[in-house]
Amino acid sequence: MNDSQPDAVLLFTSIEEFEARSNFHAELQLTADELDRIVGKYELLANRGSWALCGLNNCHREHRFGYLIRAKDGRETNIGHECGKREFDVEFEEVEARYRRAVDAQARQRAIKTLLDERDLLVSRCQQILPVMEKQKAQYSAFRTTFQPLKSFWTNLQKCSKLGGAVRAARQQGGGAWNPSGGKEEVVTVGRFAGGGAILEDGSGLGGVIESKVLPWLHALSAEQLAKVDDAAMAATLREAAAWRGTLDRAETFAAQCAALLTSQNVAAMQAICDHLMRTSESEHARALLEKWVAESQANGVPQKPVRIHRERW
């Protein structure tokens, strides 16, 4: 491992990594005045046979955690995490403090770079999902407005969605009649529909959130702006980024679930709910609406307005 940048903070995971450095010395005599800085730190395997020996001032103490230090003349050696304080006292505390500030600064720069690198990808994802969400919002709203008022049908639709779209119905032992009331009868899967996730979590409003909040927030991100914020504000920014990423993930999931849900073949499969989970007096209206929705979908595409039927039809 090489530090191509002079002030880079390094993390070593094996003895071989720091021993391979050109200025490394297994044994080094140093005074506090000769110490320059901590180059990096290491954390070795828990197996004691993998631990290092301190190279400072004939210490040779075995240790698992330690630092690679550099003298002002460029020579380097490794020391145990407690040896520096013993050998250099207060001077080493100052060196450690500088090292921790360098670690924090490097972590901050890495976080900024990662965030800015991801920004363009997130903007692209937002731009791709917005027209999809606009279309899906209209279609889902029409579907929900059509069927949600049918309380028994909608409740059963939600229950089946929790089962992955499986329509599970009870029937009497020996192949008797279906029993919408359930009970101890045999329970079997009589149908299955896709896209139940859209029923369980209505994400139709996420497109508006992405357009009004997520995209403007992403466009406002810049290296200059992030460099000026303090640590607390940076932590808050990273939390916001995670939250908006989650919003985008949910929007994409909702759009995919809607696409699976709102097909004529899939909605036709929901007739199993009417046939097996609802009483006849409640199911006729739902069945009629399903037939009308499927017919309109096949003729003109997925409805973007609620489907209606005249009362005398059922």
Side-chain angles (χ1 to χ4, degrees):
M1 179 184 294
N2 295 315
D3 51 340
S4 55
Q5 299 178 10
D7 295 325
V9 176
L10 305 180
L11 175 63
F12 303 96
T13 57
S14 71
I15 296 174
E16 291 75 16
E17 286 181 342
F18 57 75
E19 286 185 340
R21 293 170 62 85
S22 58
N23 291 327
F24 179 79
H25 294 259
E27 298 275 354
L28 197 60
Q29 302 295 316
L30 283 182
T31 65
D33 290 339
E34 294 174 306
L35 177 63
D36 179 24
R37 70 183 185 93
I38 295 173
V39 175
K41 65 185 296 185
Y42 53 87
E43 178 176 340
L44 305 176
L45 297 175
N47 177 11
R48 200 175 186 93
S50 302
W51 292 9
L53 298 178
C54 180
L56 179 66
N57 298 343
N58 300 315
C59 174
H60 302 154
R61 182 171 297 184
E62 199 175 36
H63 58 273
R64 181 183 177 192
F65 305 100
Y67 294 116
L68 182 72
I69 61 171
R70 177 178 295 164
K72 292 176 180 177
D73 62 8
R75 292 177 300 161
E76 298 175 351
T77 195
N78 68 297
I79 64 172
H81 64 289
E82 296 177 350
C83 303
K85 293 178 182 178
R86 185 188 68 245
E87 294 292 323
F88 300 134
D89 197 24
V90 176
E91 288 84 351
F92 192 73
E93 292 181 4
E94 295 173 354
V95 170
E96 271 192 310
R98 290 202 308 270
Y99 174 74
R100 285 193 293 270
R101 288 195 294 271
V103 169
D104 292 343
Q106 184 165 297
R108 180 188 178 90
Q109 288 302 314
R110 188 162 48 244
I112 291 175
K113 183 179 185 304
T114 299
L115 186 56
L116 292 177
D117 287 346
E118 188 184 21
R119 176 192 56 191
D120 293 341
L121 174 61
L122 292 177
V123 167
S124 177
R125 286 173 60 190
C126 288
Q127 292 171 339
Q128 289 176 15
I129 198 63
L130 278 176
V132 178
M133 287 297 293
E134 183 178 1
K135 177 182 176 181
Q136 296 289 13
K137 179 180 180 180
Q139 294 176 348
Y140 182 78
S141 177
F143 180 84
R144 185 185 59 207
T145 304
T146 299
F147 294 104
Q148 194 172 29
L150 307 179
K151 293 183 179 180
S152 178
F153 176 80
W154 194 260
T155 297
N156 279 300
L157 189 65
Q158 290 175 316
K159 291 180 179 178
C160 294
S161 295
K162 292 177 181 178
L163 298 174
V167 182
R168 302 274 290 165
R171 64 180 176 184
Q172 295 176 354
Q173 298 272 341
W178 295 101
N179 183 357
S181 299
K184 297 182 179 179
E185 294 83 356
E186 179 187 11
V187 178
V188 296
T189 299
V190 295
R192 186 179 297 273
F193 58 88
I199 300 295
L200 298 176
E201 185 175 354
D202 181 0
S204 57
L206 293 174
V209 176
I210 291 171
E211 186 170 22
S212 64
K213 295 184 177 180
V214 180
L215 267 176
W217 187 87
L218 289 170
H219 286 312
L221 282 180
S222 68
E224 295 77 12
Q225 174 245 332
L226 292 173
K228 295 176 182 177
V229 301
D230 59 22
D231 290 345
M234 185 64 191
T237 298
L238 293 175
R239 288 194 296 270
E240 282 184 289
W244 293 139
R245 192 184 304 113
T247 298
L248 183 54
D249 289 342
R250 292 199 306 277
E252 291 170 339
T253 298
F254 176 76
Q257 289 289 305
C258 270
L261 177 72
L262 302 177
T263 67
S264 56
Q265 297 88 344
N266 193 61
V267 172
M270 296 176 189
Q271 291 185 8
I273 294 176
C274 303
D275 297 337
H276 302 294
L277 299 182
M278 299 173 64
R279 299 184 183 280
T280 303
S281 58
E282 300 172 329
S283 66
E284 290 180 353
H285 188 196
R287 188 181 294 107
L289 276 174
L290 285 170
E291 292 172 355
K292 181 72 178 297
W293 194 98
V294 169
E296 290 195 11
S297 179
Q298 291 174 336
N300 305 307
V302 177
Q304 297 194 22
K305 294 182 178 180
V307 172
R308 307 294 186 195
I309 55 175
H310 295 296
R311 191 174 181 86
E312 57 267 20
R313 281 199 55 197
W314 50 277

